[in-house]
Amino acid sequence: MRIFGDSISGNCLKVKWTADHLRLSYDWIETDVLKAATRTPEFLALNPAGQVPAVILDDGRPLAQSNAIILHLAEGSALIPADPYDRARMLEWMFWEQYSHEPYVAVARFQVRFQGKAVADLEPRIVERGKAALQRLEDGLAASPFLVDGGGQSRRRRPGGLHPRGRRRRLPPGRLSEGAGLDRPGGEGLGYHLGRLATFR
Ligand SMILES: N[C@@H](CCC(=O)N[C@@H](CS)C(=O)NCC(=O)O)C(=O)O
């Protein structure tokens, strides 16, 4: 598989981390968004939307959209719950991530970290919605180690982060959120999660 991605992008790193976790072999083709490498005729032939991540699967078929890609890569693995309701709940969070987390937290991170903007100069709506997204994650992770847990078990009883049946559930977004400069909400959920992600491979 060939993964076209920019290593400053959370959407792209999601694909890399999923492939690494599943020990899939791939070539990473660094595609610099800041240099408009997604707008060349060659890249647009691969993904007419002009965005990374995009992959070319081993059989030559292309696929874009980070969540479509990671779902496809993880198909049949323990990253995806077997139970249909849990699977739908996982999708619920993934759709939420693209609509309510990424456009605010990732955009704030991009502007602060890569465009050198002060948090005070960010559009207030981005800050407000970004903080709300982090709070939603905090609330979701405060009671349970995974957003889709299926068991409702206490986070403290499973410090290793493994699901009781030994399966890893999809890890929530937020790994790069600290670079956004938004205050982390009070509580233990997100902090615990970020600590665990530091060791997730
Ligand atoms: N919803 C898309 C978003 C992809 C996206 O926004 N990609 C950005 C980098 S994070 C990009 O390629 N921007 C370059 C451009 O639009 O020219 C996904 O999850 O894959």
Side-chain angles (χ1 to χ4, degrees), residues 9-12 14 33 38-39 49-53 64-67 98 102:
S9 149
N11 282 321
C12 299
K14 266 181 349 196
V33 166
T38 55
R39 300 288 157 171
Q51 291 179 325
V52 280
Q65 289 293 330
S66 58
N67 283 350
Q98 284 286 293
E102 196 262 4

Side-chain angles (χ1 to χ4, degrees), residues 3-22 26 28-31 33 52-55 65-67 69-70 73 97-98 102 106 109 113-114 170-177 197 200-201:
I3 303 176
F4 294 78
D6 187 325
S7 27
I8 69 168
S9 149
N11 282 321
C12 299
L13 290 172
K14 266 181 349 196
V15 173
K16 180 181 188 314
W17 291 331
T18 302
D20 289 344
H21 179 70
L22 295 170
Y26 61 86
W28 177 270
I29 292 101
E30 188 66 24
T31 307
V33 166
V52 280
V55 300
Q65 289 293 330
S66 58
N67 283 350
I69 296 168
I70 61 177
L73 298 184
E97 179 260 326
Q98 284 286 293
E102 196 262 4
R109 172 177 172 267
R113 190 119 186 243
F114 301 104
R170 179 179 183 269
L171 291 164
R175 190 170 191 170
L176 302 175
S177 59
L197 279 182
F200 177 76
R201 287 285 174 274

Side-chain angles (χ1 to χ4, degrees), residues 68-82:
I69 296 168
I70 61 177
L71 265 176
H72 185 67
L73 298 184
E75 199 64 61
S77 81
L79 285 175
I80 299 184

Side-chain angles (χ1 to χ4, degrees), residues 10-11 101-112 114 177 180 182:
N11 282 321
H101 178 282
E102 196 262 4
Y104 307 108
V105 178
V107 168
R109 172 177 172 267
F110 181 77
Q111 295 186 1
V112 169
F114 301 104
S177 59
L182 306 175

